[in-house]
Amino acid sequence: MVDLIRTHAAPLRRTCRRLLRDDVDADDAIQETFLNALRGLSSFRGDARLSTWLHRIAINVCLARLRRARPQAWTMDADHEDDALASLLPRYHHDGHRIGPLPTWSTPLDELAQRRELCERVRRMVESLPEPHRTVIVLRDFEELSTEETAELLGVRVNAVKTRLHRARQVLRTMLEHELHREELG
Amino acid sequence: MTQRMTCRELIEDFLAAYVDDELLPEIRDRFDEHLGQCPACVSYLETYRQTMALARAASHAEPLDDPAPPPLVEAILAALQK
């Protein structure tokens, strides 16, 4: 058992931290994950990887904690969600043209992706997103779950996941645009 | 004659499906036609894709506390033995 915990606790801790944004809460969630795993061991199917099974349990534990902590954030409708992000979403003229596209960044992706401090800033940007968008981008882009898995874990429709993910990526793109364009101007 | 896709339609309605390669062929043709005439949308699409890639890069670059800190392992074991 000690070996099993040593093997799996580190990646589970990273997942729990990403979702809960708090080290103490994350460590509590890991304990709950292993407790739930022990209780549900009979439901573990040998064809799934143990790490994948534990990972799903940890995500469920974290999502339940987030729902308990801020239930209102999980019942927001799509229009209200967009209102909260309006200043970071594209705006359009009546004819459908985008209003004043800003000059954007020109540094190549491979150069950007190598920058550790930028990766850290991207993680902070994701942390700053409203909860429904943050959880979707964490599950889809960080934890690399499918859209269907994400919808099932969040208890929402596949289309809601796609819409929130698109919004989250748009907002993240605008944040990067502000930051990188300013940086390139020096 | 098919109406030209607007920037709003391209970005709000179809871009996410485009990057996932889920657009119907006739919509994709209209999408590509718009891109051929709109450098601002080409730039938006490119930076949107880069944003997706940077999110993944940021995730992979996140440090892992491996092995897990001994106090955490002990706390888990204690919780399991209660």
Side-chain angles (χ1 to χ4, degrees), chain A residues 18 92 105 123 144 166, chain B residues 12 47-48 50 58 60 62:
Chain A
R18 285 171 173 170
Y92 303 92
W105 70 88
R123 292 196 293 273
E144 301 187 19
H166 182 47
Chain B
E12 302 301 333
T47 48
Y48 183 94
Q50 290 197 13
H60 293 151
E62 188 169 0

Side-chain angles (χ1 to χ4, degrees), chain B residues 24-45:
Chain B
L24 295 171
E26 60 268 30
I27 304 283
R28 190 182 175 92
D29 288 346
R30 288 177 59 209
F31 192 102
D32 286 334
E33 184 190 358
H34 181 108
L35 288 182
Q37 298 165 11
C38 182
C41 282
V42 170
S43 170
Y44 194 92
L45 173 64

Side-chain angles (χ1 to χ4, degrees), chain B residues 44-57:
Chain B
Y44 194 92
L45 173 64
E46 176 59 20
T47 48
Y48 183 94
R49 281 187 160 136
Q50 290 197 13
T51 300
M52 292 168 62
L54 277 174
R56 289 221 158 88

Side-chain angles (χ1 to χ4, degrees), chain B:
Chain B
M1 190 178 137
T2 322
Q3 202 178 355
R4 185 172 181 258
M5 187 179 283
T6 65
C7 300
R8 181 202 293 268
E9 288 169 331
L10 183 141
I11 291 172
E12 302 301 333
D13 300 339
F14 301 121
L15 187 142
Y18 184 84
V19 299
D20 287 339
D21 202 17
E22 290 178 351
L23 281 185
L24 295 171
E26 60 268 30
I27 304 283
R28 190 182 175 92
D29 288 346
R30 288 177 59 209
F31 192 102
D32 286 334
E33 184 190 358
H34 181 108
L35 288 182
Q37 298 165 11
C38 182
C41 282
V42 170
S43 170
Y44 194 92
L45 173 64
E46 176 59 20
T47 48
Y48 183 94
R49 281 187 160 136
Q50 290 197 13
T51 300
M52 292 168 62
L54 277 174
R56 289 221 158 88
S59 158
H60 293 151
E62 188 169 0
L64 196 62
D65 296 332
D66 199 15
L72 175 62
V73 175
E74 284 160 21
I76 295 167
L77 282 169
L80 294 179
Q81 283 161 4
K82 270 184 195 166

Side-chain angles (χ1 to χ4, degrees), chain A residues 1 5 28-41 53-54 57 61 65, chain B residues 75-82:
Chain A
M1 180 56 86
I5 293 169
D28 286 350
I30 298 170
Q31 291 179 35
E32 192 178 337
T33 297
F34 279 104
L35 274 173
N36 289 357
L38 194 64
R39 288 184 191 127
L41 202 56
W53 184 66
L54 288 170
I57 295 173
V61 165
R65 283 171 176 253
Chain B
I76 295 167
L77 282 169
L80 294 179
Q81 283 161 4
K82 270 184 195 166

Side-chain angles (χ1 to χ4, degrees), chain A residues 151-168:
Chain A
E152 192 182 329
L153 285 161
L154 292 172
V156 299
R157 293 173 189 274
V158 164
N159 276 344
V161 170
K162 288 182 176 179
T163 303
R164 283 180 190 166
L165 183 63
H166 182 47
R167 286 281 173 265

